[in-house]
Amino acid sequence: MQYVLGYTYFCGGKIFVNNNVLIPRPETEELCQRIIEEYKEAAPKVLDICTGSGCIAISLKKEKPILDMYAIDISKEALEVAKENATINETNINFINNDLLNNIDIKFDIIVSNPPYIDINENIDGLVKNNE
């Protein structure tokens, strides 16, 4: 349904999605909440690897604007979606088109990732398997 609508909601914000990114999951919202709770007083440099739609980076930055937020993805198309989402959600994020941490010389306090992976033996809901 999110692909048909072209958007979803994630941590209270509207996130644009298309066939270049996966639909953010509720479990990923829990990951964001945990990071926010763990680092209430800190202003760390944070990296979101395999950012996709940018939902993690955007949600963290919206909740803690003081974060020095970076987001990496190997897909230029996914980064375009993430950049659009950052603009829509009025967040300033440093986007990097890169394969994981290859040739990255920046040191980060927090590295977060919810990469798109599915074990070949995993039993997947047909809706997810056939559409994502």
Side-chain angles (χ1 to χ4, degrees):
M1 184 56 124
Q2 292 92 337
Y3 286 134
V4 173
L5 294 172
Y7 67 89
T8 189
Y9 289 96
F10 184 85
C11 289
K14 191 172 186 178
I15 299 291
F16 170 72
V17 295
N18 64 21
N19 62 349
N20 294 310
V21 299
L22 297 177
I23 297 167
R25 301 284 177 223
E27 296 83 3
T28 308
E29 289 180 318
E30 293 172 14
L31 173 65
C32 290
Q33 285 306 113
R34 181 156 185 192
I35 292 168
I36 291 164
E37 289 170 10
E38 292 279 331
Y39 295 93
K40 286 184 179 180
E41 302 303 322
K45 188 175 287 193
V46 181
L47 172 65
D48 175 19
I49 297 177
C50 302
T51 196
S53 67
C55 63
I56 293 173
I58 291 163
S59 297
L60 294 176
K61 184 72 175 182
K62 281 179 74 171
E63 187 68 29
K64 291 189 60 109
I66 196 165
L67 293 178
D68 189 7
M69 193 75 225
Y70 290 77
I72 288 179
D73 206 295
I74 194 169
S75 168
K76 290 179 183 178
E77 294 81 9
L79 281 178
E80 289 305 314
V81 173
K83 288 176 184 178
E84 181 176 343
N85 282 324
T87 299
I88 291 167
N89 285 278
E90 300 177 344
T91 52
N92 184 19
I93 297 169
N94 303 292
F95 291 101
I96 303 169
N97 182 218
N98 201 41
D99 184 13
L100 301 174
L101 292 173
N102 294 334
N103 301 313
I104 299 293
D105 295 328
I106 304 166
K107 292 188 179 192
F108 296 96
D109 300 300
I110 300 171
I111 297 176
V112 61
S113 184
N114 190 14
Y117 66 89
I118 298 174
D119 187 308
I120 196 163
N121 297 318
E122 190 171 344
N123 186 13
I124 305 163
D125 180 86
L127 186 64
V128 173
K129 183 178 181 181
N130 296 328
N131 295 293
E132 289 189 65

